[in-house]
């Protein structure tokens, strides 16, 4: 990796780290209103992609403990418990339910774990480069040598990977929709062409019969005229009767 590329990625990572850190400070309480605000905050479309973030549990938390947290949180933001803000509570409640369904299913939970493992691997590579750079500058270690800061670095990159995955999913969905639209338009065009061909064939068959009938009528009319003309000629050239001689 080039030094400039690494520096740019480090700056981007630090900016994202700072943003998430500020959000964590605001999310330190569990009142219904603040939980609803957390789940519907600006950028929640991407933050809520991580079901562990939604339920505020670590990825290595046992499933039964995650279920307990889900139940407490779902009760906390339930519309019946927040009738003064029922619409937003309903949205938050749906986010919580969706997160639990993702983690409850073994297959989808494993996909989430795969993203977290990828985040750990990428973080380790980034920190190796960061430590190398620090040694060249005469510095002793990096902040992420602290286990808590390392854990948070993995968390930040995990959020970014979830966001990247969602963007790719949307791009693929848009391409798929465009492809289906193109195929449907092609099918409609083929159906219209087939319909036009059938209509043309039908008209051709009908007009052919008309042409045949017209030709037969013409032939029949021509024969009658020929017979009439022949009869008239025979009558015209009939030889005269002989007259008796006189003495």
């Amino acid at each position: 990796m080039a030094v400039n590329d690494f520096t740019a990625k480090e700056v981007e990572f630090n900016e994202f780290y700072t943003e998430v850190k500020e959000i964590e400070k605001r999310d330190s309480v569990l009142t219904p209103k603040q939980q609803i605000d957390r789940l519907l905050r600006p950028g929640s479309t991407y933050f809520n992609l991580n079901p562990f973030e939604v339920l505020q549990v670590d990825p290595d938390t046992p499933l039964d403990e995650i279920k307990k947290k889900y139940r407490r949180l779902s009760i906390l933001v339930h519309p019946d418990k927040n009738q003064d803000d029922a619409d937003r509570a309903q949205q938050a409640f749906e986010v919580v339910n969706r997160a639990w369904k993702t983690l409850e299913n073994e297959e989808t939970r494993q996909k989430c774990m795969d993203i977290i493992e990828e985040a750990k691997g990428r973080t380790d590579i980034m920190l190796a480069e960061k430590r190398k750079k620090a040694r060249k500058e005469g510095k002793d270690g990096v902040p992420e040598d602290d286990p808590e800061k390392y854990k948070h670095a993995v968390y930040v990159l995990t959020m970014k990977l979830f966001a990247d995955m969602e963007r790719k999913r949307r791009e693929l969905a848009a391409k798929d929709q465009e492809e289906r639209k193109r195929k449907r338009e092609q099918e409609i065009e083929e159906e219209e062409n087939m319909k036009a061909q059938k209509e043309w064939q039908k008209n051709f068959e009908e007009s052919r019969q008309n042409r045949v009938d017209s030709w037969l009528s013409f032939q029949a009319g021509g024969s009658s005229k020929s017979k009439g003309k022949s009869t008239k000629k025979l009558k015209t050239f009939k030889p005269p009767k002989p007259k008796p001689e006189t003495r």
Side-chain angles (χ1 to χ4, degrees), residues 13-14 17 123 126-127 130-131 142-147 149-151 153:
F13 180 86
N14 289 336
Y17 180 96
T123 300
M126 184 184 70
L127 291 181
K130 197 173 180 179
R131 292 188 184 98
V142 294
E144 289 79 10
D145 289 334
D146 183 305
K149 290 184 178 180
Y150 170 79
K151 181 179 178 180

Side-chain angles (χ1 to χ4, degrees), residues 32-226:
K33 183 182 183 306
Q34 288 176 331
Q35 281 290 4
I36 292 172
D37 289 343
R38 176 182 74 88
L39 294 167
L40 301 181
R41 66 190 181 271
S44 61
T45 301
Y46 287 105
F47 279 100
N48 292 342
L49 294 171
N50 184 349
F52 298 107
E53 162 67 12
V54 171
L55 300 180
Q56 294 183 305
V57 294
D58 291 331
D60 55 357
T61 303
L63 190 59
D64 57 343
E65 291 298 321
I66 295 177
K67 187 174 184 178
K68 291 178 182 178
K69 185 62 181 290
Y70 152 69
R71 286 177 174 173
R72 289 196 298 269
L73 189 55
S74 63
I75 292 172
L76 204 64
V77 301
H78 197 283
D80 292 345
K81 301 291 184 180
N82 299 274
Q83 294 185 9
D84 57 334
D85 195 11
D87 290 343
R88 295 179 74 245
Q90 179 64 36
Q91 294 178 47
F93 181 73
E94 290 173 359
V95 170
V96 172
N97 275 339
R98 188 162 53 247
W100 166 244
K101 287 180 180 178
T102 299
L103 296 181
E104 182 185 29
N105 182 279
E106 185 176 350
E107 182 178 351
T108 52
R109 185 183 184 191
Q110 184 58 51
K111 288 181 179 179
C112 293
M113 294 300 297
D114 290 343
I115 291 174
I116 292 170
E117 288 302 316
E118 182 179 352
K120 288 180 180 179
R122 291 192 184 188
T123 300
D124 290 343
I125 293 172
M126 184 184 70
L127 291 181
E129 292 289 337
K130 197 173 180 179
R131 292 188 184 98
K132 183 178 180 181
K133 181 182 177 182
R135 285 195 297 271
K136 288 182 178 180
E137 295 175 351
K139 297 179 181 179
D140 185 18
V142 294
E144 289 79 10
D145 289 334
D146 183 305
E148 285 301 316
K149 290 184 178 180
Y150 170 79
K151 181 179 178 180
H152 190 76
V154 172
Y155 163 77
V156 172
L157 188 54
T158 298
M159 300 296 293
K160 189 173 184 303
L161 289 179
F162 270 106
D164 291 342
M165 182 183 68
E166 176 63 11
R167 280 193 290 268
K168 290 179 181 178
R169 186 196 68 78
R170 291 185 180 185
E171 289 174 1
L172 291 174
K175 288 181 181 179
D176 181 63
Q177 184 177 4
E178 185 64 27
E179 180 64 17
R180 282 186 291 173
K181 180 182 176 182
R182 186 192 65 78
K183 287 183 177 180
R184 182 54 189 155
E185 289 175 349
Q186 184 177 354
E187 289 174 357
I188 292 173
E189 183 179 357
E190 290 175 353
E191 288 172 0
E192 289 177 349
N193 288 339
M194 185 67 70
K195 183 179 178 181
Q197 288 179 10
K198 288 181 178 179
E199 189 68 23
W200 182 89
Q201 186 67 28
K202 179 182 176 182
N203 293 337
F204 177 79
E205 293 293 337
E206 290 177 352
S207 61
R208 182 175 65 175
Q209 187 61 45
N210 290 336
R211 291 194 302 273
V212 171
D213 292 342
S214 297
W215 175 250
L216 292 175
S217 296
F218 173 76
Q219 289 285 58
S223 299
S224 298
K225 290 180 181 179
S226 298

